[in-house]
Amino acid sequence: MERPLTRNFRPDGPFDVKEYEKAGGYEALRKVLTGMSPKQVCDEVRASNLRGRGGAGFPTGAKWAFMPPANGEDRPRYLIVDADEMEPGTFKDRLLMEGDPHQLIEGIVIGGFAVQADVAYIFLRWEYKLAEKRLRKAIAEAYDSHYLGRNILGTDFNLELYLHVSAGRYICGEGSALVNSMEGKRAIPVARPPQQTESGLWGRPTLMNNVETMCNVPHIVKNGAAWFQGLSVCEDGGTKIYGVSGKVKRPGAWELPMGTPLREILEQHAGGMRDGVKFRGVLPGGASTEFFGEEHLDVSMCFDSLAQVGSRLGTGSLIVLDDRTCPVGMLHNLETFFARESCGWCTPCREGLPWIANILKDIEEGRGQPGDLEILEAHTRMLWIGRTYCALAPGAMEPLKSALRYFRDDFERHIRDKRCPWR
Amino acid sequence: MLSDLVKQEIRSRVDRDHPEAVAVEALHIVRNHYGWISDEMLREVAGLLDVDPAELDGAATFYNHLYRKPVGRHVILVCDSVSCWIMGYESLVAHLTRRLGIGMGETTADGRFTLLPIQCLGSCHTAPALMIDADLHEELDEQKLDAILAQYP
């Protein structure tokens, strides 16, 4: 089985530019700059069925095609790579940046050429210090080797790449909030339209993609859309880095065919549950996705099949709940996170999330009241899509909505007995 | 008063077309030099970037790594997100607060440590995790944590 994204990973640190070239690196970029038009690159990516790996799963080729045609004078055009990985349970982009920084840079230059960008940014979270160090070194090497800067590989294509280190807050992962943050403002989301491809950073055409998405690009260009499609076992193309955390035997991350069954990831790769604990449920794609129970373990982990059974692939990061961990306590942790990370811009999110977190705290600590679950359920409707500027609050409602269904008895027992049975 | 060195470093980052864009970076520079950002320092940075001090403070108070209050010599950032919570966050924090005699958001009397919560550190497979200053520490338990704290005088 091919693992294009992680094949260069080495325990003693990433490849430098020479080692990366020796392993076939920057060949895709050379192929693009010496024989392909921007449109041909976009078409190839579109045909590969690559879907955005940041969580939303939007088709990458279609997003690229939203960029207005470049006329050569209306400049600059921007490409921003979202490396602000902060979805609880998610660590795939960290591994990609630490493990093979040149792969990301090559993807950025190819993507930049495809949409005729002039300036690219990697928006990196402050805490990813090792990734920062390795990216800085790799970017400097790429400039020295003429993969970045002016007249890349002797052509007339120019691209500057900057590493922007953020100052924190989960909301920066939201595209329009990220742009505000880059402009030196508070990171609050902006209602769309206009889309960022029309009016993004400084009102200019801006393309934004996730780290894992961009890392796929060189492989698609080098090996073709049909090859990329063949990597997966579902409609979506490629491989996916799936992560597992919680009380399993071997927590970790693995690059597997897109569409690998949930059970295979949990049992074969993560080794199943630790001795003495039983599986109770799993958030399949990070904190802001709906719980799955035992009956869903045979689902194929891809965008469409997870949506069909009522959850989302999200970041493909599985968080496992076991029978020794209180589901109410877990929900309290999740909703406290979302309440703290709300940017405060719109009322349902700013006011609703702390209310939810407080009710969950009361239930967990034995002060639950009859009617609390109905209040929580009302919130899952009032903070839903269409009532807020961005996806933070609806995302926060996904685990809550499903937990109220799956773990109803546990919630009711907390309220009835006025205590948490796990404490 | 910001030192000339700090002012020079900030000025060198300013993009002439968009001076306000360097706001977060400039505040990072101040924080890295002085540990935190006082009202006076904030006003000076606003002057350097030619932005409104109130607007700059809007940004400064938004981001969790731009400290607007003094902190200890070392800042402990404890991941309190869900995977770390499942894997023992609560007992780790109970141990830390007992050992240091402070709660979240507080600084020890000797000015050695400040204790703060942090969003998911991307160490979910090696939970529980925390950072001290710029160093990541993973797969923690109480004993391991005691040995690590000793490395930060």
Side-chain angles (χ1 to χ4, degrees), chain A residues 94 125 127 185-186 340, chain B residues 58 62-63 65 80 120 122:
Chain A
R94 171 185 161 198
R125 65 177 296 191
E127 295 85 349
K185 303 178 197 143
R186 291 169 81 88
R340 183 178 75 198
Chain B
F62 188 88
Y63 298 99
H65 290 295
D80 63 0
C120 181

Side-chain angles (χ1 to χ4, degrees), chain A residues 169-171 187 336-354 392-393, chain B residues 62:
Chain A
R169 298 303 293 273
Y170 174 73
I171 192 65
T336 304
F337 167 84
F338 288 115
R340 183 178 75 198
E341 296 306 324
S342 170
C343 75
W345 184 238
C346 62
T347 310
C349 182
R350 181 187 62 239
E351 305 299 324
L353 289 174
L392 188 144
Chain B
F62 188 88

Side-chain angles (χ1 to χ4, degrees), chain A residues 190-247:
Chain A
V190 178
R192 301 175 206 197
Q195 296 297 331
Q196 294 183 318
T197 44
E198 293 290 330
S199 176
L201 185 61
W202 310 114
R204 305 293 312 155
T206 302
L207 177 72
M208 198 178 293
N209 281 131
N210 165 263
V211 169
E212 188 183 358
T213 310
M214 291 313 273
C215 288
N216 276 292
V217 168
H219 305 290
I220 293 168
V221 168
K222 193 168 164 189
N223 303 304
W227 167 86
F228 190 74
Q229 276 283 339
L231 292 174
S232 76
V233 290
C234 65
E235 287 292 300
D236 309 328
T239 58
K240 176 79 192 81
I241 300 184
Y242 296 106
V244 180
S245 61
K247 289 182 190 159

